[in-house]
Amino acid sequence: MHPIVFLGVLSNGAAAAALAFPPSLTQGFRGGKIVYSAGKQAICANGVVSVPASATNTILNLSSPTTQFNATEIFQELLQAGSTLLQRAQGGTRTVQGTYGIAGNLCVPADSAKAGAVKTVEILTHGVGLEKSYWDIAPGYSYVDAAAVAGYATFAYDRLGVGQSDHPDPIQDVQAFLEVEILHGLAQLFRTKTIGGYGFTKIVGVGHSFGSIVQVGVNSKYPKDFDGVVLTGFTNTLANLPYTILANSPSIAALNQPSRFGKLPNGYLVHNDEIAIQEVFFRYPYFDPASMYIVAQGSPQQRQIELIQPQSFKTKLTEKTPTPSVKNSPSGVY
């Protein structure tokens, strides 16, 4: 374990033991526990919430790759000049529905006066190749802390198929259409005070990268879900998409890290190595190297479908290099 991570676990664990918190903060969570945010500006309920959702997904005439050679060839064919892979893969539509376990952290200001006055919760949707923890990296590098100081609550969650959330079929089930419905479902759970017990009067959607695309999908289909929206880390051109896909160096998770991901279907992918993580997310020398080492220890799998179906909402939104210094949880089960 990286020493920075080890010290952070010790300090957060010791502090949480004597933590005072609103008694209803863990309401709606399975396995809910109370922890501090990285800079201890917020008190957080950490656990899994149940989100019912139903979506019309695309039937894809694609199989999970059997070998890494096969996985690489799929992306080569996708990105070659004049590729017809996407057109040939379309096989109609099907309804996907269920109640999905979505892992999340609900954080409110640690300052009791601010906690008592909080009326707005921000739902934070992360991008491809990372999970929810980069919203709360370390003291001084935490969106969650900054929001708490400003008097806002936050709910950062692992999207379906990522981090500690459920992992259904990565090709036929985990598609952007279903992710839109899950974000819609989360908004409804906050409207009805199902999560955390707070009577939030306003909900703000904050997306980063692919998370912004999911947020745009909700804005279009359910315009009354959110009172405000913040979209970051994307652009309105697909010009850089081939580079972004190749720079991720997609590797079959179960083969790349069998001790962690060996039970996952081969449609779940990870960055191949630390270099791939730097190429996509870090621009030297404008980042703390320790941040990249933490990412390399805990990089969660991407889904094959997210990389091969960028036109999910018929938009031209795609990935853009995010703010330097991001990290993933080094100890979670992905």
Side-chain angles (χ1 to χ4, degrees):
M1 179 178 286
H2 192 279
I4 293 179
V5 179
F6 182 70
L7 290 174
V9 170
L10 286 180
S11 61
N12 281 345
L19 203 55
F21 62 93
S24 62
L25 194 60
T26 57
Q27 177 181 311
F29 287 92
R30 300 199 312 269
K33 61 181 181 180
I34 299 298
V35 296
Y36 272 122
S37 61
K40 300 184 180 179
Q41 298 297 324
I43 298 172
C44 307
N46 174 283
V48 176
V49 297
S50 297
V51 183
S54 176
T56 301
N57 275 8
T58 299
I59 298 173
L60 293 171
N61 298 321
L62 293 171
S63 300
S64 291
T66 56
T67 67
Q68 184 57 48
F69 293 114
N70 180 220
T72 300
E73 191 280 331
I74 290 173
F75 291 104
Q76 289 174 327
E77 182 175 359
L78 171 68
L79 299 174
Q80 70 183 7
S83 174
T84 61
L85 176 62
L86 291 178
Q87 291 85 344
R88 289 185 283 112
Q90 304 296 312
T93 60
R94 63 186 284 263
T95 298
V96 178
Q97 60 185 356
T99 298
Y100 300 95
I102 301 299
N105 296 336
L106 173 60
C107 300
V108 298
D111 180 278
S112 58
K114 291 181 179 179
V118 67
K119 297 297 181 183
T120 299
V121 61
E122 302 180 9
I123 300 181
L124 314 179
T125 306
H126 64 81
V128 167
L130 301 174
E131 39 77 88
K132 66 180 180 299
S133 67
Y134 72 75
W135 298 102
D136 188 34
I137 302 167
Y141 293 91
S142 172
Y143 186 99
V144 171
D145 279 332
V149 170
Y152 297 104
T154 56
F155 181 75
Y157 71 100
D158 289 333
R159 291 187 291 103
L160 186 66
V162 174
Q164 297 178 348
S165 290
D166 284 352
H167 288 70
D169 186 300
I171 296 177
Q172 305 302 339
D173 290 355
V174 188
Q175 297 185 11
F177 309 107
L178 184 55
E179 298 212 52
V180 164
E181 299 302 328
I182 287 174
L183 179 52
H184 165 65
L186 287 170
Q188 297 309 303
L189 291 176
F190 278 106
R191 292 287 185 197
T192 57
K193 304 180 184 179
T194 302
I195 302 176
Y198 268 79
F200 297 114
T201 58
K202 293 186 181 298
I203 302 176
V204 175
V206 181
H208 170 244
S209 199
F210 183 79
S212 290
I213 298 178
V214 174
Q215 184 67 59
V216 166
V218 175
N219 298 347
S220 176
K221 190 171 183 180
Y222 303 105
K224 294 184 179 180
D225 272 4
F226 291 88
D227 300 288
V229 170
V230 179
L231 304 176
T232 69
F234 66 92
T235 178
N236 60 358
T237 175
L238 292 175
N240 294 325
L241 183 60
Y243 165 79
T244 302
I245 293 175
L246 289 176
N248 275 278
S249 190
S251 176
I252 296 174
L255 301 179
N256 185 278
Q257 300 180 48
S259 63
R260 297 180 66 196
F261 307 134
K263 295 182 179 180
L264 290 177
N266 283 0
Y268 285 100
L269 309 173
V270 294
H271 296 98
N272 185 56
D273 54 25
E274 294 90 339
I275 294 174
I277 294 172
Q278 181 183 349
E279 286 179 337
V280 179
F281 296 108
F282 295 87
R283 187 65 180 266
Y284 187 78
Y286 306 105
F287 64 90
D288 180 348
S291 298
M292 195 180 77
Y293 295 141
I294 295 172
V295 171
Q297 290 177 12
S299 180
Q301 71 286 347
Q302 307 157 51
R303 269 92 68 215
Q304 184 180 13
I305 186 59
E306 287 186 347
L307 296 179
I308 69 174
Q309 197 187 29
Q311 81 289 19
S312 296
F313 300 123
K314 308 298 183 183
T315 71
K316 292 185 177 180
L317 303 180
T318 186
E319 299 286 331
K320 184 177 180 181
T321 303
T323 303
S325 291
V326 295
K327 84 169 181 69
N328 300 334
S329 169
S331 57
V333 178
Y334 300 107

